[in-house]
Every structure is written in structure tokens, then in C-alpha cells.
Amino acid sequence: VEAGDESILPVVVKFITSQGRMKFVRPLYRALFHSEMGRDIAVSTFLENKDFYHPIAAKMVASDLDTTKSEEKRTLFGCLVSKPKESFVIGGIVALSAAIGIALLRGKRH
């Protein structure tokens, strides 16, 4: 794909539509999307097959095919993509809740 050989496109499309593993599919979608010859093929193939992939794989490929990269929550090709800062906030809340729970449990033992 990176060499610009258009004869490989049918093989790549057949592979990414028959293989659901993110470690195989994601690099190929990225390579297609970043090539002049495969950009439209990557988007259309993903739209047709997004339900075939695991939800996490679909979300990651959708984020790779996103060109807007806005900082707000958005839906791309039907997959929810959130901004990374929210993950840290949620992680902080979970950690704080766990710490409070542990402190309360220790207080009940004494």
C-alpha cells in the first residue's frame, strides 16, 4: 500500500473484511487512509464492515479515519469517540472513590 501499488488493493480489502483482529486490520486501514489511492476505499470499506469488528477495534479504526480531530465528544461512522481528558477525569474519580471506600473500611475495623 505504501508503495502505491494499486494491484494490492483487492487483496487488502479482502483481508480486512475477513479478519477482525485489530492488530492486523488497524495498520492496513491506516495505510489505506494515508495513501492517495486508498483513502476512499478505506472509509467505504469500514462503513460497510464496521459491525463485523469488535467494538473497541471499530472505535480505534474510526478514530484513525477521523480527519476533524475535534476536542469534543463526537460520533464518527456510528462509533462514539471521546476526548482523552475525560478518561483521566473518570479514572481519577474511580481512584478517589476506591480510596474513600478503603478508608471507611479500615475505620470500621478499629
Side-chain angles (χ1 to χ4, degrees), residues 76-96:
L76 175 69
F77 306 133
C79 300
L80 184 64
V81 180
S82 61
K83 48 186 175 172
K85 293 178 188 174
E86 291 177 0
S87 299
F88 292 116
V89 171
I90 293 171
I93 292 170
V94 169
L96 179 63

Side-chain angles (χ1 to χ4, degrees), residues 32-49:
L32 281 174
F33 188 72
H34 293 296
S35 70
E36 289 182 25
M37 64 180 182
R39 186 179 196 99
D40 294 334
I41 293 171
V43 173
S44 64
T45 302
F46 178 73
L47 287 174
E48 292 171 9
N49 296 286

Side-chain angles (χ1 to χ4, degrees), residues 17-38:
T17 57
S18 64
Q19 173 58 250
R21 297 229 22 214
M22 184 168 59
K23 75 183 226 175
F24 300 131
V25 173
R26 192 173 179 205
L28 290 171
Y29 270 114
R30 282 182 185 165
L32 281 174
F33 188 72
H34 293 296
S35 70
E36 289 182 25
M37 64 180 182

